[in-house]
Amino acid sequence: MTRARASARAAPAPSPVAAFAALADETRWTVLEALADDEAVGSGGLTASALAERLPVTRQAIAKHLALLEGAGLVESGMVGRERRFRALGAELTALGRRLERIGDAWEARLGRIATIAEDLERG
């Protein structure tokens, strides 16, 4: 999967809109979780057939879900022998999580300022 990794690293960060659209489907979320679990074990990726064995979905449906996840920049694929294996792209998922964290931090800061104003008004 070295060629796929090199091209994935050269590509710009995935669009958060595309990523969230891809993750809006329960099956794709489950597929991504399975790939992330596999990545933690370090087996080198899973095939669409292996994923279909774990889920109540056909191999063809899994292939379509994988294509959408790959298009969103959350998954990469590469040939290992005669098999196409897929793996989650942890760096992209981490970057997406950091973006969400920054948004959450900004909201917490705003809410903290509102709480301070409310306390000041209460004290009068």
Side-chain angles (χ1 to χ4, degrees), residues 79-118:
M79 295 301 289
V80 177
R82 294 175 50 184
E83 294 180 323
R84 177 163 300 281
R85 294 187 168 265
F86 295 84
R87 59 188 233 47
L89 292 171
E92 282 73 4
L93 293 166
T94 299
L96 189 60
R98 285 190 182 126
R99 289 180 82 167
L100 287 173
E101 191 173 334
R102 282 195 306 270
I103 292 168
D105 290 346
W107 274 104
E108 283 185 33
R110 286 181 188 127
L111 292 173
R113 288 192 299 270
I114 291 170
T116 301
I117 291 169

